[in-house]
């Protein structure tokens, strides 16, 4: 077979271990999954009502224009409907951008470590990849500017960044956007936007009118708790959206997901509750790290990266055998760390208790 050369050494995305997989492997009855940055509180009751009461035929294709959801997001953000594109999670929009703008002869600039799908898709499209190391967990935007040249097509900025949880402040982002050439697309991935608590986090939607080369990605998979329905979206100038849309699959967001996401938007009280509980959960981990003398990055997401002073794989394995699934930092570019999703207060206490035992046994 005549495979693309780029795919021959490319590995598929490795998600966290599944609950059933871990139960079977270690003979456990109770598993707490804190590996994939999912919402421990689920989703809005309004979204659940949509799922329970949907009575139309499942034999019909979804609305390819996502009319109901498009209208809801347009009103929620205060943007025009033609300034939106929807995807099977924001992951698919990353893929659409890459398919449209990356190819041999152009380059793309990104931080490292960051969300791996930027690089993954760039490899598939044969583009040159220019990675700029984080500085104290944050994007080094000055060095990223230095990596841009006449062949740069896309720059990726993940804020808050996965896996560090650090963000790009308003003044830093605006200064960066002012210096990026107009022909270079800047993709600002805000999957964790609704968890942000920083006062100087930029109002990126308002920036879209000023920068026609800016695209903002968001998702219903995180705080909205609809990860299994795979609904994400991008917001940008209408001309940019119209250029990207032909690369999108025709029925790429499913019917119930569209309606559930629209309903979830109506319940901002639930979102505010999840935001507050996440803030309290992060405080639990901060207190633990301070007590144990562990380095960590203050996070604006629903996860925290903790340096366990030893191989992250060992901490990951220890916790998994105790019924707690986290992510080893080894695969994320931080070999002595683990990334833990913020759970409920009880879940946080449980993983902290087991992590304390791990640290004690390794002294």
């Amino acid at each position: 077979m005549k495979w693309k050369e780029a795919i021959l050494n490319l590995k598929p995305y490795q998600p966290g271990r599944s609950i059933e997989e871990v139960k079977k492997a270690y003979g456990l009855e109770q598993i707490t999954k804190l590996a994939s940055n999912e919402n421990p509180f689920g989703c809005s009751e309004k979204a659940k009502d949509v799922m329970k009461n949907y009575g139309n035929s499942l034999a019909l294709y979804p609305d390819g224009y996502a009319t109901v959801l498009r209208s809801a997001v347009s009103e929620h953000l205060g943007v025009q409907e033609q300034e939106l594109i929807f995807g099977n999670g924001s992951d698919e929009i990353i893929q659409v951008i890459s398919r449209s703008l990356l190819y041999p002869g152009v380059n793309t600039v990104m931080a490292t470590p960051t969300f791996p799908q930027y690089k993954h898709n760039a490899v598939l499209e044969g583009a040159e990849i220019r990675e700029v190391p984080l500085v104290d967990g944050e994007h080094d935007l000055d060095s990223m500017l230095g990596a841009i040249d006449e062949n740069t097509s896309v720059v990726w900025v993940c804020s808050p960044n996965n896996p560090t949880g650090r963000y790009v402040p308003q003044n830093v982002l605006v200064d960066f956007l002012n210096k990026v050439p107009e022909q270079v697309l800047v993709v600002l991935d805000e999957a964790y936007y609704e968890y942000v608590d920083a006062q100087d986090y930029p109002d990126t939607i308002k920036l879209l009118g000023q920068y026609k080369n800016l695209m903002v990605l968001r998702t219903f998979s995180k705080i909205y708790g609809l990860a299994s329905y795979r609904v994400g979206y991008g917001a940008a100038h209408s001309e940019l959206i119209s250029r990207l849309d032909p690369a999108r699959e025709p029925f790429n967001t499913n019917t119930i997901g569209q309606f559930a996401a629209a309903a979830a938007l109506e319940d901002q009280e639930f979102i505010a509750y999840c935001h507050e509980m996440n803030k309290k959960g992060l405080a639990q981990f901060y207190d633990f790290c301070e007590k144990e003398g562990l380095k960590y990055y203050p996070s604006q997401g629903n996860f925290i990266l903790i340096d366990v002073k030893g191989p992250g794989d060992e901490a990951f394995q220890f916790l998994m055998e105790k019924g707690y699934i986290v992510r080893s930092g080894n695969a994320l570019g931080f070999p002595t760390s683990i990334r833990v999703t913020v759970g409920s207060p009880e879940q946080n206490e449980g993983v902290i208790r087991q992590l304390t035992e791990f640290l004690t046994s390794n002294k």
Side-chain angles (χ1 to χ4, degrees):
M1 295 186 182
K2 299 179 181 179
W3 297 102
K4 266 186 175 181
E5 185 177 346
I7 204 172
L8 296 178
N9 295 313
L10 196 61
K11 296 180 180 179
Y13 178 76
Q14 296 295 320
R17 297 283 294 273
S18 72
I19 290 175
E20 293 306 316
E21 182 185 3
V22 174
K23 277 185 177 181
K24 184 177 179 180
Y26 300 102
L28 299 170
E29 293 184 3
Q30 183 65 38
I31 299 294
T32 300
K33 185 169 180 277
L34 300 173
S36 300
N37 304 339
E38 297 143 330
N39 188 342
F41 305 105
C43 66
S44 165
E45 290 298 323
K46 291 186 177 183
K48 290 180 183 178
D49 287 343
V50 168
M51 303 172 206
K52 293 175 184 175
N53 300 319
Y54 183 77
N56 295 337
S57 174
L58 295 177
L60 301 178
Y61 283 107
D63 172 10
Y65 191 66
T67 305
V68 171
L69 179 57
R70 185 178 296 271
S71 176
V73 174
S74 170
E75 182 178 353
H76 179 70
L77 295 183
V79 301
Q80 298 299 311
E81 292 187 6
Q82 61 269 29
E83 294 176 320
L84 296 168
I85 186 171
F86 292 88
N88 184 38
S90 54
D91 290 17
E92 189 195 18
I93 303 174
I94 293 169
Q95 185 181 64
V96 168
I97 293 167
S98 301
R99 181 185 298 170
S100 304
L101 287 163
L102 299 182
Y103 47 87
V106 303
N107 67 69
T108 180
V109 177
M110 64 196 70
T112 185
T114 191
F115 186 52
Q117 291 305 100
Y118 314 143
K119 182 176 181 178
H120 183 94
N121 282 284
V123 170
L124 280 172
E125 302 303 333
E128 179 193 349
I129 298 161
R130 298 183 175 181
E131 296 179 287
V132 178
L134 299 173
V135 175
D136 195 25
E138 298 181 359
H139 282 65
D140 182 356
L141 293 185
D142 286 338
S143 294
M144 290 176 73
L145 279 170
I148 296 172
D149 63 18
E150 67 277 6
N151 294 318
T152 303
S153 185
V154 182
V155 176
W156 308 89
V157 179
C158 187
S159 179
N161 185 51
N162 180 8
T164 60
R166 307 296 282 157
Y167 71 103
V168 179
Q170 167 83 19
N171 62 327
V172 177
L173 179 64
V174 170
D175 183 62
F176 177 72
L177 292 173
N178 285 336
K179 295 174 182 177
V180 174
E182 292 181 0
Q183 73 274 15
V184 176
L185 175 63
V186 177
V187 181
L188 188 60
D189 189 344
E190 295 188 325
Y192 302 95
Y193 167 77
E194 292 84 1
Y195 284 111
V196 171
D197 202 51
Q199 296 301 304
D200 59 346
Y201 191 87
D203 187 343
T204 51
I205 298 301
K206 287 185 178 179
L207 294 175
L208 295 177
Q210 185 177 351
Y211 302 99
K212 293 184 178 181
N213 62 332
L214 173 64
M215 185 166 194
V216 175
L217 304 185
R218 292 184 185 172
T219 183
F220 287 94
S221 295
K222 300 304 178 183
I223 204 169
Y224 285 96
L226 295 172
S228 64
Y229 278 104
R230 311 303 298 123
V231 181
Y233 63 91
H237 189 272
S238 57
E239 183 179 343
L240 176 55
I241 296 295
S242 67
R243 292 280 188 176
L244 287 174
D245 207 40
R248 176 183 62 82
E249 295 296 326
F251 304 109
N252 61 331
T253 54
N254 70 83
T255 300
I256 300 179
Q258 290 179 22
F259 286 116
L265 270 180
E266 297 176 4
D267 194 354
Q268 290 301 309
E269 185 176 342
F270 174 75
I271 300 306
Y273 169 77
C274 293
H275 176 100
E276 186 61 25
M277 292 303 293
N278 185 73
K279 185 177 178 180
K280 292 179 179 178
L282 282 170
Q284 287 179 272
F285 284 107
Y286 296 161
D287 289 345
F288 162 72
C289 289
E290 295 292 343
K291 178 183 176 182
E292 296 292 336
L294 301 177
K295 293 181 180 179
Y296 66 94
Y297 291 114
S299 176
Q300 293 294 320
N302 68 332
F303 56 88
I304 182 170
L305 190 70
I306 302 173
D307 191 324
V308 294
K309 300 181 179 179
D313 284 348
E314 291 184 8
F316 161 78
Q317 185 66 32
F318 180 91
L319 292 171
M320 185 165 57
E321 292 178 11
K322 299 291 186 178
Y324 290 89
I325 310 174
V326 300
R327 285 298 295 271
S328 170
N330 192 39
L332 305 174
F334 293 88
T336 64
S337 297
I338 56 171
R339 191 193 68 192
V340 185
T341 301
V342 178
S344 67
E346 297 76 20
Q347 290 172 335
N348 298 336
E349 283 301 327
V351 75
I352 286 171
R353 185 167 56 252
Q354 296 300 335
L355 192 50
T356 301
E357 183 179 332
F358 169 78
L359 293 170
T360 300
S361 66
N362 282 271
K363 284 183 179 177

